[in-house]
Amino acid sequence: MKTIIGTKQNVTKELTALVADVLAHKPEANIAVSAVDLPEEVLGALAKSDLAFDKATLFQACEYCGAAGKGVHAVGAAFQALTAAKPFAAVHAPDPDADAEHAADYDAAIQAAGGLDLVILGHVAFNEPGAGFNEKTHIAKLAEVTREAAAPAFGSLAQTPEQGITIGIHTILGAKKIVLVAFGARCAKAVNATLTGRPETFTPASFLQLHTDVEVYLDEAAAAQL
């Protein structure tokens, strides 16, 4: 793994340059973005950049299940601002109404498009502790910490969805290049486990160590325990 540490402004600038390089080599790239948990600074920087995504295809990495995945909380304002500012050739999303049997149909759509060239993650989508190494797109029970972080947007913890649909670790590791972004002190412990611990299901992001092309972008607070 390559690790980039700096201010949020510098880190997002470096990440934007990476995306520019991917598009320069393949304008029709397939890019997956974890819109639900990716820092807004990253999505904002991409929206304000001079990058052209008109030949690229965008895949949402995860979404809340049920009505929340189709209403005002779906994907988030920053993601909507990105797609409004930067039209893509196509935008795909996992079906928030899909059942467990059909969730993996999303992987088939990704493969039909030629596979993922780049995945940009703010966590590892909705792959919660215990997520298996071989899982494809699936319905995930959201951890309490995930729901608590999202609760302000929904008004209360009780109103926050208990499930999400997400691309799996197998799907993520199938991408040509992976980017993981973490900002803030609350991420420091998880970042340390991800980068220095052994790959294990309790820390699904640690499986990224098994990929040959991963870049991790951190601000100083998120890197504090490294």
Side-chain angles (χ1 to χ4, degrees), residues 63-75 95-97 154 159 161 163:
E63 186 54 274
Y64 294 108
C65 286
K70 297 175 286 187
V72 295
H73 298 293
V75 303
D95 182 1
D97 290 328
F154 287 92
Q159 294 175 293
Q163 292 184 316

Side-chain angles (χ1 to χ4, degrees), residues 29-33 35 53-63 75 79-95 106 109-110 113 116:
N30 294 320
I31 303 173
V33 172
F53 292 95
D54 56 300
K55 295 181 180 179
T57 296
L58 182 63
F59 288 88
Q60 283 177 231
C62 57
E63 186 54 274
V75 303
F79 183 85
Q80 293 172 340
L82 170 61
T83 54
K86 301 291 183 181
F88 286 75
V91 177
H92 300 281
D95 182 1
Y106 195 53
I110 290 172
L116 297 174

